[in-house]
Amino acid sequence: MSLLVAVEEGDFNFLLEKTGATRGNLSVQIGKLKEAGYITVVKGYKDNYPHTRCSITAQGIKAFEKYVAALKDYLGE
């Protein structure tokens, strides 16, 4: 989520590289975030290869801000 907050859109390989997650784990996490309405996922093809693009939704930004506020509260900031 923090990666997608920082960039407008990220593709699967970008997220894979930045998170260090496995392909399977990242796929599961993307599915969960999509199901929660936090991200949108667009699947297509680029140079004849599957290409998945993810972007954060307004609901996702709001949830992320709430998460950050909760962390700050927990840390006493």
Side-chain angles (χ1 to χ4, degrees):
M1 290 283 289
S2 62
L3 286 171
L4 291 175
V5 168
V7 296
E8 191 169 308
E9 181 180 277
D11 69 15
F12 188 86
N13 288 330
F14 169 79
L15 296 171
L16 190 66
E17 178 186 321
K18 295 297 182 186
T19 62
T22 65
R23 290 182 177 276
N25 187 300
L26 183 57
S27 291
V28 169
Q29 296 305 316
I30 287 173
K32 289 181 179 182
L33 291 170
K34 179 184 174 189
E35 186 177 308
Y38 294 165
I39 65 171
T40 58
V41 178
V42 177
K43 294 187 176 208
Y45 288 91
K46 182 177 178 183
D47 299 327
N48 293 326
Y49 291 98
H51 188 235
T52 301
R53 295 176 289 138
C54 302
S55 58
I56 195 163
T57 64
Q59 182 181 349
I61 291 171
K62 192 173 183 176
F64 185 75
E65 289 172 345
K66 187 176 175 181
Y67 170 73
V68 170
L71 281 177
K72 286 182 178 179
D73 184 52
Y74 177 76
L75 295 172
E77 292 183 19

